Amino acid sequence: CTDDFVEKNTDPNAITDVTPDLLLPGIIRTGVNEMVNQSWSIGNIVIQHTAKIQFVSEDRYTWGDRDGLWENMYNNLRDVQLLLELSQKNNANNYRGISLIMRAWMYSILTDAYGDVPYSEATKGVSGILQPKYETQEVICNGILNDLKTASELLGPGEVVVGDLIYNGDVSKWKKLANSLRLRYLLRISDKKDVKADMQAILSNPTEFPVFTSADDNGTMRYLTSAPNQFPLYTARQGSFDEFRLSTNLGDKLTALNDPRITVFAQPTDASVAAGTPKYSGVPNGLNEVAALDYNGGPNNISRAGALFYKGSITDRGLNVAKGYILSYHELQFILAEAVKKGLVNSTKTAQFHYEEGIKAAFDYVDVDMPANYLKNPGVAYNDASALALIGTQKWISLFFSGLEAWFDWRRTGVPEIKAGVDNVNSGKVPVRFAYPRSEQTLNPNSLNEAVTRQGPDNYNTHVWWDL
Amino acid sequence: MPFSRKSNAEKTITGKVTDEGSIGLPGVSVIVKGTTTGTISDSEGRYSLAVQDDATTLIFSYVGYLSEEIAIGNRMAVDVVMKPDARNLNEVVITALGIKQESKRLGYAVQEIKGSELDKARETNFVSGLAGKVAGVQVMSSPSGIGGSARITIRGDKSLDINKNQPLFVIDGVPITNALTGSSGRDFQELDYGNGASLINPDDVESMTVLKGANASALYGSRGANGVIVITTKSGKNSKGLGVSVNAGLTFENPLVLPDFQKVYGQGNNGEFSFVDGNGGGIRDGVDESWGPKMDGRLIAQHDSPTSNGYRGGDISLIDDGQLGSPADLAARGTITPTPFVPGNNLKEFYETGITNNTNVSVTGSNEKGDFRLSYTLLDQKGIIPNTDIKRNTFAINTGYNLSPKLTVRIAANYVNSTSANRPNLTYGTESIIYLLHCWMGQHVNLNSLKDYWIPGMEDRQQFNFNYNYHDNPYFNLYENTNSQNANRIFGNISVKYDFTKWLSLQLRGGTDFNNDLRKRRRAFSTQRFPFGSYREERVRNGESNFDFLLTANKDFNENFTFGANIGGNHQIATTNNFEVTAPQLLIPGIYSFNNTRVALVSSIQDINKVVNSLYGSVQFGYKNFLFLDVTARNDWSTALTLPAIADSLGQTINSYFYPSASLSAVVSDILPMPEWVSFGKIRTSLAQVGNDTDPYRFTSGYGRSDPWGDYPVYSSTRTLVNYNLKPEISTSFEIGTEWRFLKNRAGLDFTFYNINTRNQILPSVPVSITSGYSNRIVNAGEIRNYGFEVMLSGSPVQTQNFKWDVNVNWSANRSKVIEFDGEVTDYQMAERHGVSIRAQVGQRMGDMYAIGFKRVEDKNSPYFGEKVLNESGRYLSTSNRIKVGNYNPDWMAGIRNTFTYKNFSLSGLLDIRHGGQIFSETFVVGLEAGQLEETLEGRENGYDINQPGNGVIGKGVIQNPDGSYRVNDVKLTAREYHQSRTGNRDIPEGGIFNASYAKLREVRLGYMVPAKFLSKAKIKGLNVSVVGRNLAVWSKVPHIDPETSSLSGGTIIPGIESVGMPTTRSWGFNVGFSF
């Protein structure tokens, strides 16, 4: 009486087989959305682009269990693993190359946020590995760089890619993204390792290893106007959006530089608008709840974050500005400026050229006209003596709402100055990593403990391997 | 005449035994007192018995009737009218597969409830009406207003799958589905559309038998493992001629427990508030907490204050510029004229009086050929929450016809149409009005000011509110964002029974339960979570069909041995077919149609099928009517444990499972000599196994479709790791009990001990490190042991001609423990909410709750041992890991019913007691944080200046000095800081844990049966009038909420965690019943 049971227990609606184009858009969307959310909830705050006036715990460094990044990235990496297997089986080199880039990018964020993390054994649950080992950041960084190099070699014309939310199937741009990311990650570890040869090898061979040559190459994701694919903050409640305000650190810097990008990053205060004289004014990071709400006479006198990152994100201009971010041409220019300045690479262009090219591209990126004399302004104008500070500062400004990249970069360069707020509860230290998710204590304790023993206490203040 | 015996000096006595309706009673045993001389009455109730001359008294006894002792005197004819045994202690009960059995034959505990106990003081959800009435049964209603779901468990949780602990409901022999479908938390929307059994109509219930353990329910197979509730619907069988009955009730409801708010301070922070745009543009007007100015009549600009242009302060979107509160808007509105700042949050006035009207009319008839009962019931209910309702029409027919003396056909069918214009949103989040009303609404807000909920000129476009930051206007929510339901359900069966001989019969039966439910969710423009509105339709179709045969033999071999046997088979098909379409955003406000979608429609479909085939049989032996043995066996074959072709090579299939049971009953009072005052004594014991399968498609590891990106379809793989080697679960239960009656049945005692071990539990979602790529996996693991006691006491302390006092007590205690897991799994999280997780750990009790707790002094030698530890800034420190903070299961439960009868009046009350166990209250945690609750006045007696007397609080606890010693806390916090620190700003859920013990006055009924002599002219019979009340009072230490509250999450009722639920209701009203 069980003859038809096999058929009966076959789910009529289950999809048990997919093609690469069905997996790719989900992988990109999940990863990029996660970084927009990370930017808003922690990245902008710790790097003092924004500051909170209500529910101020992030700003006072009681970060709690920051497991969202961990959960969402590893969950997404399972699909990456499946896509890699699928494309390898089908000899679909372009899908495989793109998967490797996405994998490298996601692991770089995980390791830069947490330090040692599960890597080569990760996402292998099907093979019975339920408690993957954590690997050292050094091993992971090598893996990331290898993946990117392999990707660059695999990617090429011929095979059509569908479901590409970044470049709409333009494989040559993925190739540029792979090599540009290599430069980012080589610079990241440059205090720890000699990366000169590797950087030079890329830059000397633009045919084999092309990098971004203009803002057209930007590795960014343009959101849609319709639900549920709008800029993630579009659906936030007004009150939740208003908890985040312009930080004095960024606000004062932009005001001092007479930098019109403030009109995109922030909104003039309500009080100044009511008085007919729109003005921008921030709030310091890390105040306690009452002090933050009281600061400068209350929220009326504090600038909200830019409307283009909220309800304005579905306008034409908002679509251009509020984007998901992997890597941009302007960031690459700042990377090159620093590398040239530090003598890590020999370039036909000067550090100043890359610096100024970066600034111009950064203004374009947020759809703001750069004032004619901006590059000559004191505090902006290039000079060799303070070049690293200038480059770092402009890079920091340009990385508004760009995931956690500005924080990773600041931990390496120390530019600009970021000070813990007066009411911080982390002994005056600015966090330099996330603590591991609590769930790992019960689900993967041995591997976790091994990593903690090797790396140092599992708190916000333990430096990761590349962070001296 | 098997018992008769001839003797020399004798006479023959004849007579007729009848019931109170003068109908002859066959099979009544007639015995000469003090002898074994006796006979039984014939089919018309007549008997003839030869007795010796010195015989003085005859004893007449019959199942279900009180024994009668009649003096013979010098009579030759003795007629007797037998009276039914009011306590039904010797009754016939319906057991597994609808088999009627004398209760004394049963080797396991069952408890019966008559329909008359349920159809007067009724609950809209039939299941909730069982609370407190049956030993070992626990009922938890979901906090969802009228017609919501209820979770019922018998003898505690046995499965680690929190959804798999409810009993099976069987109506007229055929299982019905008790699914809780489609209440998903997606898109912030958590709704409860009621569980399947909630639609059972009390007016149509003749009786209900609760089969408590696997022992009683072994024949129902896997789904009987958690017990079975066997319901028999009313039929026309016992009616004479044509009769019409009417039963009507009208009750009124109001909230049982509401939070106690402080009425001193209004919205704002640090004593400051002034409205400009409700968005942070004024002074603290974006803050939705009540730490604001004193509500002493001072003049403050508010959302309902008038403006210079004749609008309300909150009319901040008068210009259609797509921006809420733009400068142009504010200019158009004008300047706000401040008005007195006075208490407003008039919660009690917000809740309306609920009205429930229930009317049942039934027609019955019978003759020698057949019988029928037709019934119609109207339930019309208006909830205590504005614009919530239920209208339910139930039609039932139960009829039988004797086609020949040997062939009988019966049909029982029910059709229910249940509609609701709006069911409220649940749980913690903007979509729920309770989230606003009980947690966040400024204390100064006058609810009436929100009734006119559109901004003028922006009707259908922009709601008016006191706060535009986080919240929706509650009236806007209830009247515009409706969640309607229209459910049509048919359940019933057709059976044919053929009697081959007197002792052998065959029954064939087919039954179905089919539910078709259409649900529509509207969201208007300007809803916080849906700025462009949205519209969703869900079509939920589920049900099951059962086809079975049952061959029954009953043969008495001789006067000492009786024998009965059943052989049966069942083919069960369960199907679910759900279809859902959503318009995520609308084009034109106020039009709810899929043609009005702004973006691509999103749809999903769910198609689930499961088949279980079964063969089973049972044999019953009886010896001398005092020793009974019952043996059963069953084998199931389930599709759910069958690997689909795609996974065939990956594992092995064990889809067949066999399980037996045996039970023994001995009527010791008939075996051994007993003192006079013992009327009846019985010992029973049983041992049973039940196998269990799992949900269908557990072996399918597929890809799920997620929201498309423009034209690109998007898929992603499932995060559950499949196990291709699942084995069926097996639970083994043992039970022993005894039953005694004393003093001519005036007092009774029933005691049961049971022990249940459930092995190889199928855990559908064991978490694994997400770094493996998967978040959970399915495993067979674990053994749960349940053991407990059930005691039932009954007695009539006072019994006179006109007055009677009856007491019935049921008491039960259950412990469920985790005995072991497999090697890899050490603990298992069954559910989680608000940082509180319900975990099963080896050696620990089921239902344990874990959460971050307070750090305490651990040094036993310290004088401060056990005190909470604070940091230097006076805030409580937390434990680094989750600790055990409680258990949601009670230590024991009891129900006490007292009934007083005086002539035609009767008064009865049911007290329901639950002792022990804990509950977490999110209402408390957030209510403290938001400065709403009464307690938050501590520390702000004189406003907010911490230097003023009465202001600020030094929390109880100690601070660790740098040298490791402790000092008593000396840091004063502001009231707001202090009350928020009491739960570590929601990070220390231990601060929200309470002792969940309570006593509830569950039911009160005052009835009057109008004497027949008053009615003879009106041709009305049995007119009874009652005043009824339910949930009239609760005594507990849990503040602000009903301690009997659970939460609902994604279709799961989670006990022990209160998540801002709808208030439960107290109801009282009238009931009238009569027939003609």
Side-chain angles (χ1 to χ4, degrees), chain B residues 25 189 236 245 347 404 627 850 875 932 967:
Chain B
L25 283 176
Q189 297 175 23
S245 295
L347 201 54
S404 80
L627 198 63
Y850 286 78
R875 284 180 168 80
Q932 305 283 12
R967 67 175 195 273

Side-chain angles (χ1 to χ4, degrees), chain B residues 775-797:
Chain B
S775 60
N776 53 73
R777 65 198 174 111
I778 305 169
V779 296
N780 270 122
E783 177 173 350
I784 305 296
R785 177 179 175 220
N786 290 49
Y787 62 97
F789 302 95
E790 286 156 5
V791 181
M792 290 183 276
L793 298 170
S794 62
S796 308

Side-chain angles (χ1 to χ4, degrees), chain B residues 942-958:
Chain B
N942 293 300
Y944 296 89
D945 181 351
I946 199 165
N947 299 314
Q948 295 287 322
N951 290 354
V953 183
I954 300 173
K956 246 181 88 95
V958 294

Side-chain angles (χ1 to χ4, degrees), chain B residues 253-423:
Chain B
E253 289 87 32
N254 64 347
L256 179 59
V257 182
L258 287 178
D260 294 312
F261 288 144
Q262 56 87 10
K263 291 282 171 199
V264 181
Y265 296 98
Q267 187 184 351
N269 193 0
N270 209 25
E272 297 173 329
F273 177 78
S274 179
F275 187 94
V276 172
D277 62 6
N279 229 343
I283 299 169
R284 311 287 191 235
D285 72 343
V287 171
D288 55 353
E289 300 172 16
S290 284
W291 301 98
K294 203 163 197 171
M295 298 185 288
D296 52 7
R298 64 183 78 183
L299 297 179
I300 293 180
Q302 298 169 49
H303 72 286
D304 56 347
S305 305
T307 74
S308 52
N309 293 349
Y311 292 101
R312 298 167 292 186
D315 288 328
I316 61 159
S317 189
L318 293 158
I319 310 291
D320 190 6
D321 55 3
Q323 201 194 332
L324 194 66
S326 66
D329 281 318
L330 297 185
R333 178 197 62 187
T335 321
I336 302 177
T337 311
T339 46
F341 200 63
V342 291
N345 190 343
N346 36 346
L347 201 54
K348 287 204 174 88
E349 290 167 41
F350 175 81
Y351 291 106
E352 300 175 346
T353 301
I355 301 174
T356 305
N357 168 12
N358 190 91
T359 307
N360 169 262
V361 180
S362 64
V363 183
T364 52
S366 76
N367 58 26
E368 65 285 355
K369 277 293 202 183
D371 61 85
F372 76 93
R373 178 178 183 272
L374 276 171
S375 155
Y376 165 72
T377 310
L378 168 73
L379 171 75
D380 189 345
Q381 189 169 20
K382 181 171 109 43
I384 57 168
I385 293 161
N387 202 33
T388 59
D389 73 334
I390 284 182
K391 284 191 180 61
R392 189 178 293 163
N393 292 290
T394 306
F395 301 87
I397 181 167
N398 188 328
T399 179
Y401 191 78
N402 304 321
L403 293 169
S404 80
K406 292 190 165 185
L407 189 61
T408 311
V409 181
R410 286 209 77 81
I411 296 176
N414 305 271
Y415 166 66
V416 188
N417 173 250
S418 185
T419 61
S420 172
N422 187 22
R423 283 185 178 263

Side-chain angles (χ1 to χ4, degrees), chain B residues 105-259:
Chain B
R105 300 177 74 106
L106 301 179
Y108 44 81
V110 300
Q111 198 171 341
E112 193 184 47
I113 294 183
K114 291 287 178 202
S116 55
E117 284 188 55
L118 299 165
D119 66 2
K120 292 190 179 64
R122 78 185 67 235
E123 288 274 359
T124 305
N125 186 333
F126 171 78
V127 176
S128 304
L130 302 180
K133 288 179 181 157
V134 185
V137 169
Q138 189 177 359
V139 180
M140 279 225 126
S141 297
S142 100
S144 49
I146 52 174
S149 301
R151 178 183 203 256
I152 177 167
T153 53
I154 302 177
R155 294 183 173 172
D157 288 349
K158 295 169 203 80
S159 175
L160 291 163
D161 183 342
I162 200 161
N163 287 317
K164 293 264 157 68
N165 283 296
Q166 297 205 58
L168 175 68
F169 284 82
V170 176
I171 298 184
D172 294 326
V174 179
I176 61 156
T177 173
N178 185 28
L180 211 162
T181 309
S183 22
S184 110
R186 266 179 310 126
D187 303 333
F188 315 100
Q189 297 175 23
E190 188 79 56
L191 285 158
D192 180 6
Y193 291 100
N195 54 317
S198 70
L199 289 182
I200 297 169
N201 182 23
D203 279 304
D204 294 329
V205 173
E206 171 75 34
S207 74
M208 188 173 71
T209 313
V210 180
L211 309 180
K212 292 180 185 172
N215 311 74
S217 55
L219 287 178
Y220 281 112
S222 41
R223 293 192 303 169
N226 293 310
V228 184
I229 293 182
V230 180
I231 291 162
T232 309
T233 62
K234 287 176 183 163
S235 72
K237 266 186 198 165
N238 297 318
S239 66
K240 298 173 197 80
L242 201 63
V244 178
S245 295
V246 176
N247 185 33
L250 181 66
T251 57
F252 305 94
E253 289 87 32
N254 64 347
L256 179 59
V257 182
L258 287 178

Side-chain angles (χ1 to χ4, degrees), chain A residues 1 9 13 15 22 29 75 78-79 123 125-126 168 226 229-230 234 237-239 243 293-294 300 440-441, chain B residues 279 281 284 469-470 532 599 607 613 639 642 697 703 707-708 715-717 719 769 771-774 881:
Chain A
C1 58
N9 204 31
N13 293 308
I15 308 286
L22 299 178
R29 176 172 63 186
N75 190 42
R78 176 190 63 249
D79 278 343
T123 69
V126 171
N168 200 20
S226 58
N229 293 310
Q230 297 118 336
Y234 177 75
R237 289 179 291 173
Q238 180 82 48
E243 290 161 12
L293 270 177
D294 277 343
N300 266 349
E440 286 287 290
Q441 288 172 8
Chain B
N279 229 343
R284 311 287 191 235
N469 251 352
Y470 302 100
F532 287 98
V599 296
D607 211 345
N613 291 334
T639 59
T642 307
Y697 311 144
Y703 293 85
D707 296 315
Y715 284 80
S716 93
S717 55
R719 48 166 72 194
S769 169
T771 60
S772 70
Y774 298 83
N881 288 316

Side-chain angles (χ1 to χ4, degrees), chain B residues 862-873:
Chain B
S862 164
Y864 301 113
F865 173 65
E867 295 264 358
K868 292 175 189 166
V869 184
L870 300 97
N871 66 13
E872 287 288 343
S873 40

Side-chain angles (χ1 to χ4, degrees), chain B residues 52 63 125 259 262 285 374 406 507 776 797 933 1002 1016 1031:
Chain B
Q52 291 190 318
V63 169
N125 186 333
Q262 56 87 10
D285 72 343
L374 276 171
K406 292 190 165 185
Q507 178 180 267
N776 53 73
L933 301 175
R1002 186 67 74 182
S1016 50
N1031 300 323

